[in-house]
Amino acid sequence: MSEQTQSTAGVPEAVHLVKDEASGLDGVIVLHSTVLGPAAGGCRAWRYPDSRAMTRDALRLAEGMAFKNAMADLPLGGGKSVINLPAEPFDRRALFEAFGRAVAELGGSYVTAEDVGTGVEDMEAVRRQTRHVAGLTQQEGRPGGDPSPWTALGVFLSMQEAVRRAFGGDLSGVTVAVQGLGHTGAALCRLLHEAGARLIVAETRSDVAAQIACRYGAEIASPRAILSARADVFAPCAMGGVLDGAGVGRLRARVVCGSANNVLARAEDGDALARRGVLYAPDYVVNAGGIVNVCAEYLGWDSAQAERRVRETGQRLAAVLDHAQEHGLAPHRAADLLARRRLERRAGDVRPVAA
């Protein structure tokens, strides 16, 4: 079942509810925009309290992907899929094959890949049903595989730019509080350690936190305490919405730059950060490395071209921050404005957009 609408800012082109009783599939695919190309965005597998919460998450993530792909100058629109995981036990391969059939029915208007809760093996199951998938087993000399190292690299390069602006130096000796030590958060910790940063880490899995702490000499904080840790930079690398009104009030860091999507609970929370003098690096600008790798794999680019585009992430953040400063905007407002301009320009919308 799907609901079709005309895409405008904040309104998706289509919402497809996907169900398969045999496998337990209960999910949603949101196509926010196909103005720039097929809607691309990963498949998140999570346990939600109900379908409404699942769909709400997918809608926000899909809009973020439309903005992310536009700002990364990719020939892709924005979309997202979310699966509400069934109770254990269930056949994971059958679940993702059913999801693959749902993707195939969209005829190439949506391209999926990994996200939180999914991996290469899941995408291989999807591939048995459709070719509109990336994040598959990497082939020699070609983009592919787990995109999280590329996401981490883009965040790292963006953090270098943000720290240079906020503190006038590099990452050596800077204290970074990393929330979430999944594939991307762990990869970011490695890059930060190599750059001479001091680490404070938080992770719900205590054994993973202990491993990272031992490997990089990091201090461990609880997931709740990490926001108020004495750090120069806060790097959210877990789920979104962490910076709500209360979170902004507890934050001590002067820079926010991480891999999580939808870090701000509301746009107004980004305004509150700006009023406090906190430099917020907009999430969908800095965490685009993974989707660049997905795009390169799907469109057949070579590894060198993919890496070059990922390494331009810090420059793209710099352009957003320059625009924000020039027009007196908070960085997230500047990023949203620039993303919408790109989408509207391609759609032939000539309506003026105020700076």
Side-chain angles (χ1 to χ4, degrees):
M1 181 174 66
S2 64
E3 178 182 345
Q4 302 288 336
T5 63
Q6 182 63 37
S7 180
T8 60
V11 179
E13 291 179 8
V15 178
H16 299 275
L17 302 178
V18 295
K19 292 184 179 292
D20 179 74
E21 186 174 347
S23 65
L25 175 64
D26 176 19
V28 60
I29 301 173
V30 176
L31 310 184
H32 185 83
S33 172
T34 57
V35 168
L36 300 178
C43 173
R44 175 167 294 192
W46 200 251
R47 286 197 167 89
Y48 294 87
D50 51 48
S51 293
R52 183 175 180 179
M54 173 185 71
T55 303
R56 183 169 57 244
D57 198 20
L59 287 166
R60 288 195 66 195
L61 290 165
E63 182 179 32
M65 288 306 305
F67 287 7
K68 180 184 301 191
N69 294 340
M71 292 301 290
D73 198 24
L74 298 176
L76 297 172
K80 203 75 174 184
S81 54
V82 171
I83 294 174
N84 197 354
L85 287 171
E88 298 284 359
F90 66 92
D91 186 331
R92 194 173 182 96
R93 174 172 168 173
L95 180 75
F96 281 93
E97 286 185 349
F99 171 68
R101 291 191 291 273
V103 172
E105 289 177 2
L106 299 181
S109 60
Y110 171 64
V111 179
T112 194
E114 291 98 335
D115 194 68
V116 173
T118 59
V120 172
E121 188 174 347
D122 299 321
M123 295 307 107
E124 291 288 354
V126 172
R127 181 66 180 86
R128 296 185 185 101
Q129 305 297 325
T130 180
R131 65 183 181 85
H132 302 298
V133 56
L136 305 170
T137 303
Q138 188 170 11
Q139 304 299 313
E140 184 68 29
R142 307 298 301 179
D146 179 8
S148 59
W150 297 108
T151 303
L153 176 60
V155 172
F156 172 76
L157 295 170
S158 299
M159 194 180 296
Q160 286 183 319
E161 174 65 21
V163 164
R164 182 186 67 78
R165 289 178 181 245
F167 304 115
D170 59 23
L171 284 162
S172 179
V174 169
T175 299
V176 182
V178 181
Q179 181 190 50
L181 300 175
H183 289 179
T184 305
L188 179 61
C189 285
R190 177 181 61 80
L191 294 172
L192 291 170
H193 176 73
E194 291 172 354
R198 294 190 293 268
L199 295 172
I200 304 173
V201 298
E203 166 61 45
T204 57
R205 298 165 297 172
S206 58
D207 57 331
V208 173
Q211 290 171 9
I212 294 295
C214 290
R215 189 176 302 157
Y216 302 127
E219 177 185 340
I220 298 176
S222 72
R224 176 171 174 77
I226 193 73
L227 268 172
S228 55
R230 293 186 180 275
D232 303 301
V233 180
F234 174 56
C237 298
M239 301 297 282
V242 64
L243 287 179
D244 56 11
V248 170
R250 290 165 48 212
L251 188 70
R252 294 189 179 185
R254 288 177 52 195
V255 171
V256 175
C257 181
S259 66
N261 290 307
N262 297 332
V263 170
L264 303 174
R266 305 171 306 152
E268 291 78 8
D269 297 316
D271 299 332
L273 287 174
R275 287 194 298 270
R276 290 187 56 192
V278 177
L279 193 162
Y280 171 61
D283 47 21
Y284 60 78
V285 176
V286 307
N287 68 12
I291 194 63
V292 170
N293 185 66
V294 164
C295 180
E297 177 187 358
Y298 187 70
L299 297 180
W301 299 350
D302 61 34
S303 295
Q305 186 177 5
E307 182 172 351
R308 176 180 61 79
R309 291 225 182 192
V310 173
R311 289 191 175 277
E312 292 170 350
T313 307
Q315 299 168 35
R316 290 192 287 270
L317 173 63
V320 170
L321 297 179
D322 286 345
H323 188 88
Q325 184 174 11
E326 180 182 355
H327 294 283
L329 298 171
H332 69 296
R333 300 287 188 184
D336 286 358
L337 172 69
L338 292 171
R340 288 194 176 101
R341 280 180 172 173
R342 293 187 182 193
L343 292 168
E344 291 174 353
R345 187 180 303 124
R346 181 61 65 89
D349 188 340
V350 295
R351 290 174 297 169
V353 181

